[in-house]
Amino acid sequence: MSSAGFSPLGELALARGTVDRMTKRRTDKDWIEAAWKDRRSRVLAVDQGHALVREDADRVELIFVSPEEAPSGTRFLLGQDEDGVVYFGVSGPLPGGQEAYELGIRKATLREVGALLPDRDAGLLTHAVALANWHDTHTHCPLCGSATFPDPAGHSTFCPVDGSEHFPRTDPAVIMLVTDPQDRCLLARNAAWPGRRVSILAGFVEPGESAEQAVIREVAEETGITVINVRYLGSQPWPMPRSLMLGFRADAPAGQDIAVDHEELAEAQWFSREDLLAALNSRELALPPRVSIARHIIEAWYGGPLPSAWTGPPPPPR
Ligand SMILES: [Zn+2]
């Protein structure tokens, strides 16, 4: 189910996917075991956020293996496509191990290839990375400290000592484009980012807080700017390791001065469309990559594509 048509941001790279998640089969042990024995089933190995991809001149695609070729590791059901093919993920070593890969085959992260993969593969890799990250970091019961065991579909774990059940975590984060009465956009450079990278403001939603409250609080904390008229734009998962990015716009009433929180930001300033384009063209500034929701929100405000890319990985939300 592609996100095109659902969001004013257009199609977001990590909010794509065509495979039915088959949630009703997650408790059906027999169905899952039969699917694992089916040679048509495809398995995607994920190791520390990396999967294998095949890359040629005009496309990038995931490399799957059959269940019998799959590495050992925690297994999880990703879903089933229209042709009845079932997809699993495994958090474990990538196929091929230490061997050199053939030409065109390489390890890649979601950040690197998320915007390049076709819809099916983008959805599967996003889902698999999110579950693999959770399994890799949630191995013990938070109540009693015993080792937990995954259910047959790998979408929950249970504690054999106290019987408690545990589900994957997703941490909501807000990311927001703020404009002033001249429709200039507030861009900031994080203190931890090298060089000339700027983006819009972002931060985690705190316990007991709405997303809109988080937008207002984060903008005020980081830049001293009070915003009103907070409105939702769209979302995409960002499972590095477990965020859901909620995109917003907000308005800054006139007559305010920026007061940067230097713990968080190196600088923040208002940009008109002309100023931003000039700074990007002169390579004085760079924007986040196309895989990010930030890039889509900035380009939606600008009114079209902008000429910029980060070459390194984008930062995690603060
Ligand atoms: Zn327990």
Side-chain angles (χ1 to χ4, degrees):
M1 277 133 286
S2 163
S3 65
F6 295 108
S7 165
L9 302 175
E11 187 166 79
L12 298 166
L14 304 188
R16 296 181 288 155
T18 60
V19 169
D20 185 333
R21 290 181 170 230
M22 301 300 284
T23 55
K24 290 197 165 60
R25 291 293 192 186
R26 286 183 193 160
T27 52
D28 188 342
K29 204 171 175 212
D30 294 341
W31 186 88
I32 291 168
E33 282 309 313
W36 186 258
K37 291 197 176 83
D38 187 338
R39 294 178 60 89
R40 285 197 314 156
S41 293
R42 311 312 299 156
V43 183
L44 178 65
V46 175
D47 187 12
Q48 306 297 316
H50 290 80
L52 278 192
V53 298
R54 181 179 294 109
E55 197 165 31
D56 59 37
D58 56 355
R59 60 193 233 145
V60 179
E61 59 185 14
L62 293 175
I63 295 179
F64 299 92
V65 294
S66 67
E68 58 182 27
E69 297 164 325
S72 59
T74 303
R75 182 208 304 178
F76 36 87
L77 174 66
L78 295 173
Q80 186 174 37
D81 71 16
E82 285 175 341
D83 300 324
V85 175
V86 176
Y87 294 86
F88 290 94
V90 168
S91 177
L94 300 184
Q98 301 303 315
E99 302 159 32
Y101 296 118
E102 293 168 41
L103 194 65
I105 295 180
R106 67 178 179 99
K107 289 162 64 165
T109 65
L110 192 54
R111 274 187 183 130
E112 291 165 352
V113 297
L116 306 175
L117 292 168
D119 289 353
R120 182 200 69 177
D121 288 7
L124 288 170
L125 184 58
T126 306
H127 193 184
V129 165
L131 279 170
N133 285 344
W134 177 63
H135 281 296
D136 292 350
T137 54
H138 292 71
T139 54
H140 288 71
C141 175
L143 301 179
C144 74
S146 303
T148 51
F149 293 88
D151 72 4
H155 282 258
S156 67
T157 58
F158 74 95
C159 172
V161 176
D162 57 34
S164 59
E165 206 179 355
H166 307 282
F167 293 91
R169 285 275 308 276
T170 296
D171 295 346
V174 290
I175 182 159
M176 46 278 179
L177 186 138
V178 177
T179 48
D180 74 359
Q182 288 82 50
D183 204 24
R184 294 182 303 172
C185 149
L186 185 59
L187 294 176
R189 188 162 67 77
N190 188 297
W193 303 344
R196 53 207 175 81
R197 302 169 180 187
V198 293
S199 188
I200 51 179
L201 302 176
F204 286 110
V205 180
E206 294 198 337
E209 186 178 49
S210 74
E212 291 82 355
Q213 288 173 314
V215 169
I216 293 167
R217 175 181 55 75
E218 285 283 346
V219 175
E221 282 175 6
E222 296 189 0
T223 63
I225 299 290
T226 298
V227 294
I228 57 171
N229 196 17
V230 176
R231 59 255 188 220
Y232 176 67
L233 298 175
S235 69
Q236 81 165 352
W238 191 254
M240 280 82 86
R242 57 177 172 271
S243 296
L244 174 66
M245 304 303 296
L246 306 166
F248 289 88
R249 288 280 304 262
D251 300 338
Q256 304 189 68
D257 292 325
I258 295 172
V260 168
D261 170 7
H262 286 286
E263 296 260 303
E264 300 259 3
L265 300 180
E267 57 186 328
Q269 103 186 52
W270 298 107
F271 286 87
S272 69
R273 289 174 178 77
E274 298 71 32
D275 292 345
L276 178 60
L277 184 61
L280 296 172
N281 278 332
S282 69
R283 299 186 152 257
E284 184 190 328
L285 294 179
L287 294 177
R290 295 193 185 282
V291 70
S292 69
I293 190 172
R295 179 66 168 263
H296 287 259
I297 295 173
I298 294 167
E299 291 185 343
W301 161 78
Y302 180 79
L306 283 162
S308 169
W310 269 345
T311 48
R318 294 179 294 280

